[in-house]
Amino acid sequence: MKPAKLQAFTPLFYLVWSDDLLTQKEFSTLKEFINSLNVLSQEEKEYLLSKVDISNPPSRNELTQWKLDIEKSIQDKSSIKSIFDIAEALSGSDLDLTPIESDFIKLENDLGILGEEALQNFKTKADSFTANSHTTSNFDIQKITEFLDGKEAPIIKKVKSVISRPEFAYETSTDINVFRQTVYNWCKILADENLGNMAYPKEYGGGGNVEDYFAIMETLSYHDLSLVIKFGVQFGLWGMSVQSLGTEKHYAKYLKDIGSLKLPGCFAMTETHHGSNVKGLETTATYNHSDQTFTIHTPNKNAQKEYIGNAAVHGQMATVFAKLVIDDHDYGVNAFVVPLRDTDGNTVKGVTIGDCGHKMGLNGVDNGTISFDNVVIPKENMLDRFASVNDKGEFESPIPSDNRRFFTMLGTLVGGRIGIPRSALAAAKSGLTIAIRYSDQRRQFGPEGGSEVPILNYRMHQRRLLPHLAKTYAVHFALQYLTKRFLNKKEEEMQEIEALAAGMKSYSTWSTRDILQECREACGGKGYLSENRIDALKNDTEIYTTFEGDNTVLMQLVAKNRLSEFRKSFGEMGSLGIINYVYENAKTAITEKNPIATRRTDDEHLLDKEFHLQAFVHREKTILASAARRIKKLVDGGLEAYDAFNVVQHQMIDVAQAYLERIVLEQFQEAVKTIEDENSKQILTKLYQLYALSQIEKNKAWYLEDGYMEAVKTKAVRKIVNQLCWDIRPDAVALVNAFDIPESCLAAPIAV
Amino acid sequence: MKPAKLQAFTPLFYLVWSDDLLTQKEFSTLKEFINSLNVLSQEEKEYLLSKVDISNPPSRNELTQWKLDIEKSIQDKSSIKSIFDIAEALSGSDLDLTPIESDFIKLENDLGILGEEALQNFKTKADSFTANSHTTSNFDIQKITEFLDGKEAPIIKKVKSVISRPEFAYETSTDINVFRQTVYNWCKILADENLGNMAYPKEYGGGGNVEDYFAIMETLSYHDLSLVIKFGVQFGLWGMSVQSLGTEKHYAKYLKDIGSLKLPGCFAMTETHHGSNVKGLETTATYNHSDQTFTIHTPNKNAQKEYIGNAAVHGQMATVFAKLVIDDHDYGVNAFVVPLRDTDGNTVKGVTIGDCGHKMGLNGVDNGTISFDNVVIPKENMLDRFASVNDKGEFESPIPSDNRRFFTMLGTLVGGRIGIPRSALAAAKSGLTIAIRYSDQRRQFGPEGGSEVPILNYRMHQRRLLPHLAKTYAVHFALQYLTKRFLNKKEEEMQEIEALAAGMKSYSTWSTRDILQECREACGGKGYLSENRIDALKNDTEIYTTFEGDNTVLMQLVAKNRLSEFRKSFGEMGSLGIINYVYENAKTAITEKNPIATRRTDDEHLLDKEFHLQAFVHREKTILASAARRIKKLVDGGLEAYDAFNVVQHQMIDVAQAYLERIVLEQFQEAVKTIEDENSKQILTKLYQLYALSQIEKNKAWYLEDGYMEAVKTKAVRKIVNQLCWDIRPDAVALVNAFDIPESCLAAPIAV
Ligand SMILES: Cc1cc2nc3c(=O)[nH]c(=O)nc-3n(C[C@H](O)[C@H](O)[C@H](O)COP(=O)(O)OP(=O)(O)OC[C@H]3O[C@@H](n4cnc5c(N)ncnc54)[C@H](O)[C@@H]3O)c2cc1C
Ligand SMILES: Cc1cc2nc3c(=O)[nH]c(=O)nc-3n(C[C@H](O)[C@H](O)[C@H](O)COP(=O)(O)OP(=O)(O)OC[C@H]3O[C@@H](n4cnc5c(N)ncnc54)[C@H](O)[C@@H]3O)c2cc1C
């Protein structure tokens, strides 16, 4: 630019021509501005106007030169804060800009230029806060691993070593026949290693260790999930149904062969028309006293067994759930062992098997349909722990109600509701390990002039992954707790534990669904390639929310259990119970709801575990009492109970959700309290806080509606969640490494 | 039960033995109760105690008899409201129960028996509210279809007829080579039908109709989505890049052959190390003036082109984005047509192609990697609409800034950001059609004694699907609007339209992701079978949130555009602008925020479209102004702008989200206003209300924090959302049928 004094306008011109946002309208604004500058001569104005002529752009070289000039002028001048400052620096003493300062700044505003932001264009090597965050390790990874594994460490180690063998290389064929065979072969290896029969009594060749069995299920889930499900169908569903519903004679006859996979079998409960509502099963088992047999029969097409794992190819026998009929009398659903195929794989007469074909995932598992056309089985094939037919051909059972007997039978199968959520947990750990490691490596964008930044440094990306990481730790501890409760169960705790298992099954599998979805997106295009395994993890676990009990249905069971506990505990006070309860609760809530507490936003308070617990408990209690009252009101108002429950169905899910969140919170608190190593405690505390506060944030509408928190407080929660994410970020990779997943299982090239 | 007077206790005994909730503890409670009854003799007590002896349960027949007795006693007696009432009815005049009434009721409470609920067990054929809801049609489906299709009806009809032909039977092979070939063949048929070249100028053999092109993309999406993407890569990305970035000579040379699929090609922008941040591409195109050629080169492994559609198998040429280098000078990213294969499919010398292999979905598309080892192309292969090398070998461009030129080039490709969300919309429609039709047929559970109920009658199920249905209609109208804006764009609107397209691309694809997830779960096990197509729909659209611009990145662009518009519009008021704006906004808000408005819960108000619009606009404005202020504060406080944007990244997404929601709301309002048929207007109004209110419900934490609504109001919103779901349920099937998806495309056996 010839006239030196006009240098002052260089930054404006540069921005106009380089900015990709300005339009013709802005060009006119600029022209008006130039015309209005009385400090300039007409000639000077014309020169400037020629520089903003849309039909006569500067050459690329001129533009580059402008940029260099500007950069030179601001080098090391930290006082420069706006475009006007640059203008001054450039014009030096040639032009007094003071008279036009306000016009100049107005122009900046009119053009929508944020001075400080535009300035970034000219700083050659921006030193950025965002760019500087990086992975460090502030704790001993192994200590956390040991804490997570606990006394299960030896069996976990054994399983990991088996699935890391070369034979366990992932199957890459998309042919489901090939895949099914591979998975079968893997199961055989596991059986040979005595991993399948771990939960069966020692007398029948088993390991006699249920706790280890669960740890095996979870650890196997670092590998292909078809393997885990096939394994679970064979040794869990099929084997455990024999063990839980049968008696000695069945154990002696079957358990050893089931445990060695010599006798592959199925668990055949679901029918086409009855999935969630298994009480309605229609398959019949008709007793014939003359020859002491049962005839198993599928009365209509929709009563065929459906989705049955191990049915389409490998199963030789099945535990079939069917209505027992004696002398035209229906004795409710009972369980029978029914042969499907001979050892050569030929289907038994009267049995017709279909193939469910290709599925969204788990294609290594051979799910099929089964129909029975008057298949006759000997009397001893009835699994007769809870009901039997006596020598006179009469029905006998210690549990007279068909309904209650059936639910007692189902109750003994609750183990499946522990295996599945633990498998889901492992899948979430795999997904997070892949996504977090990749996000720490993957760079995209960066400060002007600086190099690109790991995407994990972006706040949004942290928000997308780190609360999920915290939740995964939380679920880990809660599932440990569930397992412990189950292993030490007393008769009178069974209903509570069943509800807890149903609830944690839903909580964990839904959590995994969300986590894997986020992991896929967080990895961008790489997350879509099957080689990076988020595909398989997501699609295989997709059905976890449905099988072993549909989550939405299970959550209603949990809520009903909570309601009935609630009613019982207030029964003693008579019908005033609820009212008193609500009043009592309101009293405690009042102390927590005093204007200071509802508005406290200091870190000390927000990070305090007492505050968290109170908030979770308050929510749980209030939602429960409110659902109870609402149902009562509806029923009192004349609605059928069935309809009343439908009206509040949405609230019922909240009842269960709030209960589970409180349990999970408590178990995370307990874990933090228990861990001894100081550095580990520190990082787990932060993770715990992130879990607690991101749950509160998720539920903040409820807290605001309830008046338990005011807006200042919920806003402060959001801020502190952001801050915790930022603080945890440097440890994120170490935290997923602490899951200690075998590299050969992770296998994703992006996670190396 | 022998002593007639003791009949009164039958209902209690029945409940105890049949209930699957009572435990030992409750048995003791019952025993205590019996012992405490002074009206009974010792013998009578003992008789009763024998009936609650856990080691001596009643026989199954006895239990059945009890039930029959009870049922008989309450038949047609509507006055019976509690277990105590039954007791009275049963005991008749044999025993005066009045003295023990309160004890009896206390016992019911202690046992946690809700009288009315327990009563249901005995009503043989419950007439239920829930059970009675069913599909009816309150409007003429075809009228809605016509309204949705508008003037695109003829081309939509044509496409539907083509994809319903037998040749378009879905490919069932899991072999990706077979699948890729099938998809290629389908594309060929579409090209032969002159559907591929629809958007190209008539002079070059095209249809000259961009609007129809978009309708084709959307309608094809009822079929296999690999087909749509392959189609989009060939005719959209590859063809349109030539048309948008090239000049006459390129049109003449390529467009006809691209449109007929004689010349399959690629759009090669993304590199391994540069996906979202394409400004950083590293491939070079070095100009050699001596022989008037460019040398295309991949400088390192991570600069290879990656994920490129059509590359792995079929592509013969590609539009390659590369940095133009002349005399060691870098002129920024430009586009070049580069040959990949000869017509026999042999790779050109210097070109190395890899295969991305199996993906989560879209396996009918052959994505691959491409590297160039000094591949020489003639000078005329530069797509030179925005930049060129002149005869002297000098760089020339009407847009001097490399940055700005690149974004201008990208801007011309915005069409892709319309095709993808419209394709996503169609996939959502397919998923909802399948899930809603199935939910109307599928029965599970029911009132005691009644038959099972369609799952769509469950409130929770309605909640899971119907707001998504409303949103899908909403997105339909918003994408029509986007298309219209794009087709009639004026130069000065381009930035706004680009932002709108980026935003709607994110909004629609995320919506589809959520919808298909819910559809899968809502269909239970059936949703997992590939034959029901939710598998393919979900996995194919999974990447829509990433390609054509990652959603999270796009949302930030949208937010930046909003911020810069915001600054411009307040520039004229100087730096006081924002303050004034906030003040003005606060003033209007005050009228809306008066204690009456923030608490109004009457239906008239909640259903009022003015209320909705004000609420959406208020949210949009407030979030935008608050983000602007926050950034300014951070930057004023000394943070680099890059860091400041990172700190508020989460809020930036909200800025974009609130903007999009307002746009979508407005367009739905507009559509309801436009439709003439009265019945159609009525049902669309309800759907509109459901969209508006479920968005408000989703954002209720924000409204509460802001003080725009109080708890009474947000709670009323929840209630009315439930009610709208219930009201819309009978029309739900008709509303998905109005999408008029060819049955052969839906194909899901559960959706017949
Ligand atoms: C891959 C796979 C493997 C399987 N393996 C086996 C096996 O080995 N053995 C076996 O016996 N079974 C097996 N199953 C069956 C599985 O247990 C059932 O799919 C599951 O119980 C759900 O039943 P459903 O599919 O019939 O869903 P439905 O019960 O039809 O549910 C459909 C939808 O309706 C909703 N719904 C239902 N009732 C209500 C209500 N009252 N209120 C609100 N919403 C409601 C549910 O939430 C769900 O979203 C398998 C299934 C699959 C897919
Ligand atoms: C099936 C498929 C087909 C494709 N077809 C083509 C094609 O034909 N031609 C072509 O050129 N390309 C194609 N692509 C590439 C596609 O356009 C890119 O995948 C997409 O642009 C995203 O880039 P990326 O995968 O590198 O993700 P990245 O940019 O690495 O993003 C990864 C994650 O980081 C996040 N992130 C990135 N930057 C930021 C930030 N600043 N702040 C916060 N978060 C951030 C993102 O949200 C994302 O979650 C295809 C990809 C796929 C998977």
Side-chain angles (χ1 to χ4, degrees), chain B residues 209-329:
Chain B
N209 191 329
V210 181
E211 192 165 10
D212 274 10
Y213 177 76
F214 289 126
I216 294 168
M217 279 284 285
E218 182 173 324
T219 312
L220 282 179
S221 304
Y222 294 137
H223 195 263
D224 188 291
L225 297 167
S226 285
L227 168 60
V228 187
I229 298 306
K230 182 97 170 175
F231 182 93
V233 165
Q234 171 68 20
F235 306 111
L237 292 176
W238 159 230
M240 299 295 272
S241 64
V242 170
Q243 201 197 324
S244 302
L245 306 177
T247 47
E248 250 66 36
K249 60 178 176 291
H250 303 112
Y251 306 163
K253 193 162 173 188
Y254 300 120
L255 280 185
K256 190 153 171 291
D257 289 349
I258 295 176
S260 68
L261 197 53
K262 199 175 144 199
L263 183 61
C266 313
F267 178 86
M269 174 143 29
T270 307
E271 296 174 359
T272 301
H273 264 191
H274 289 95
S276 297
N277 186 20
V278 271
K279 241 172 74 179
L281 295 180
E282 294 174 281
T283 303
T284 51
T286 308
Y287 181 62
N288 327 294
H289 195 48
S290 58
D291 59 357
Q292 312 252 325
T293 59
F294 295 102
T295 302
I296 308 292
H297 189 65
T298 305
N300 64 67
K301 206 173 131 277
N302 291 317
Q304 70 173 353
K305 297 295 173 184
E306 193 170 34
Y307 309 114
I308 308 305
N310 241 352
V313 180
H314 296 118
Q316 290 174 18
M317 282 200 150
T319 295
V320 173
F321 291 80
K323 291 196 300 190
L324 171 59
V325 178
I326 308 178
D327 294 335
D328 288 339
H329 212 100

Side-chain angles (χ1 to χ4, degrees), chain A residues 555-590:
Chain A
M555 291 292 269
Q556 290 173 59
L557 289 184
V558 175
K560 285 195 174 160
N561 172 279
R562 301 308 297 158
L563 279 175
S564 95
E565 288 301 314
F566 175 76
R567 286 188 198 132
K568 281 181 209 168
S569 52
F570 295 99
E572 284 168 30
M573 291 176 260
S575 54
L576 279 173
I578 293 184
I579 298 168
N580 283 334
Y581 170 79
V582 171
Y583 177 72
E584 280 305 314
N585 192 37
K587 266 203 313 197
T588 14
I590 277 168

Side-chain angles (χ1 to χ4, degrees), chain B residues 535-638:
Chain B
D535 170 9
L537 289 167
K538 172 81 181 132
N539 279 306
D540 290 345
T541 55
E542 176 61 45
I543 196 65
Y544 283 29
T545 56
T546 301
F547 69 15
E548 276 292 343
D550 174 87
N551 283 9
T552 304
V553 174
L554 290 182
M555 291 292 268
Q556 290 174 59
L557 288 184
V558 175
K560 285 195 177 164
N561 171 278
R562 302 306 299 158
L563 280 175
S564 95
E565 289 300 314
F566 176 76
R567 286 186 199 133
K568 280 181 208 168
S569 53
F570 295 100
E572 282 168 31
M573 290 176 262
S575 53
L576 279 173
I578 293 184
I579 298 168
N580 283 335
Y581 169 79
V582 171
Y583 177 72
E584 281 304 315
N585 193 35
K587 265 202 315 197
T588 14
I590 277 169
T591 30
E592 291 167 24
K593 277 191 192 173
N594 74 61
I596 297 172
T598 57
R599 290 191 193 159
R600 261 187 89 174
T601 59
D602 54 301
D603 282 8
E604 192 193 333
H605 173 66
L606 293 181
L607 296 174
D608 176 9
K609 64 187 196 331
E610 282 312 309
F611 156 57
H612 306 149
L613 186 60
Q614 280 173 1
F616 278 55
V617 167
H618 171 74
R619 179 171 138 83
E620 179 191 8
K621 281 188 173 175
T622 312
I623 291 184
L624 178 59
S626 130
R629 259 176 300 155
R630 187 131 180 259
I631 293 168
K632 190 160 165 27
K633 226 172 105 183
L634 289 168
V635 171
D636 287 350

Side-chain angles (χ1 to χ4, degrees), chain A residues 267 269-270 275-276 307 309 367 550 649, chain B residues 442 455 464 521-522 525:
Chain A
F267 178 87
M269 173 143 27
T270 307
S276 296
Y307 311 115
N367 295 96
D550 174 88
Q649 212 173 33
Chain B
R442 176 70 174 170
I455 54 178
R464 289 164 71 184
E521 293 178 49

Side-chain angles (χ1 to χ4, degrees), chain A residues 229 233 237 266-278 305-311 319 321 356 359 361-362 365 367 510 543 545-554 556 642 646 649 653, chain B residues 438-439 442-446 453 455-462 464 518-529:
Chain A
I229 298 306
V233 164
L237 292 177
C266 312
F267 178 87
M269 173 143 27
T270 307
E271 296 174 0
T272 302
H273 264 193
H274 290 95
S276 296
N277 186 20
V278 272
K305 297 294 175 184
E306 193 169 34
Y307 311 115
I308 309 304
N310 242 352
T319 295
F321 290 81
C356 293
K359 304 186 296 291
L362 298 181
V365 183
N367 295 96
W510 267 334
I543 197 65
T545 56
T546 301
F547 68 15
E548 276 292 343
D550 174 88
N551 283 9
T552 304
V553 174
L554 291 181
Q556 290 173 59
Y642 177 74
N646 194 21
Q649 212 173 33
I653 306 285
Chain B
Y438 180 61
S439 301
R442 176 70 174 170
R443 289 163 182 273
Q444 211 67 190
F445 301 102
V453 162
I455 54 178
L456 195 51
N457 289 11
Y458 293 112
R459 299 285 191 146
M460 193 59 207
H461 212 74
Q462 295 172 0
R464 289 164 71 184
E518 200 63 74
C519 289
R520 207 298 293 153
E521 293 178 49
C523 293
K526 286 288 182 190
Y528 199 59
L529 303 184

Side-chain angles (χ1 to χ4, degrees), chain B residues 139-258:
Chain B
F139 60 91
D140 181 350
I141 294 177
Q142 209 183 323
K143 289 242 165 71
I144 300 249
T145 306
E146 281 164 12
F147 184 66
L148 291 173
D149 291 352
K151 65 185 172 50
E152 294 302 305
I155 188 75
I156 292 174
K157 196 166 157 219
K158 168 159 185 189
V159 175
K160 284 184 187 169
S161 96
V162 174
I163 58 180
S164 301
R165 293 185 199 158
E167 307 93 277
F168 280 83
Y170 287 120
E171 179 57 66
T172 54
S173 170
T174 56
D175 180 333
I176 67 173
N177 298 315
V178 174
F179 193 8
R180 286 166 171 187
Q181 196 53 46
T182 304
V183 170
Y184 178 83
N185 297 343
W186 287 337
C187 282
K188 189 81 191 111
I189 299 175
L190 298 176
D192 292 346
E193 294 286 341
N194 282 315
L195 293 170
N197 59 14
M198 185 57 81
Y200 305 158
K202 292 207 167 135
E203 307 89 279
Y204 305 102
N209 191 329
V210 181
E211 192 165 10
D212 274 10
Y213 177 76
F214 289 126
I216 294 168
M217 279 284 285
E218 182 173 324
T219 312
L220 282 179
S221 304
Y222 294 137
H223 195 263
D224 188 291
L225 297 167
S226 285
L227 168 60
V228 187
I229 298 306
K230 182 97 170 175
F231 182 93
V233 165
Q234 171 68 20
F235 306 111
L237 292 176
W238 159 230
M240 299 295 272
S241 64
V242 170
Q243 201 197 324
S244 302
L245 306 177
T247 47
E248 250 66 36
K249 60 178 176 291
H250 303 112
Y251 306 163
K253 193 162 173 188
Y254 300 120
L255 280 185
K256 190 153 171 291
D257 289 349
I258 295 176

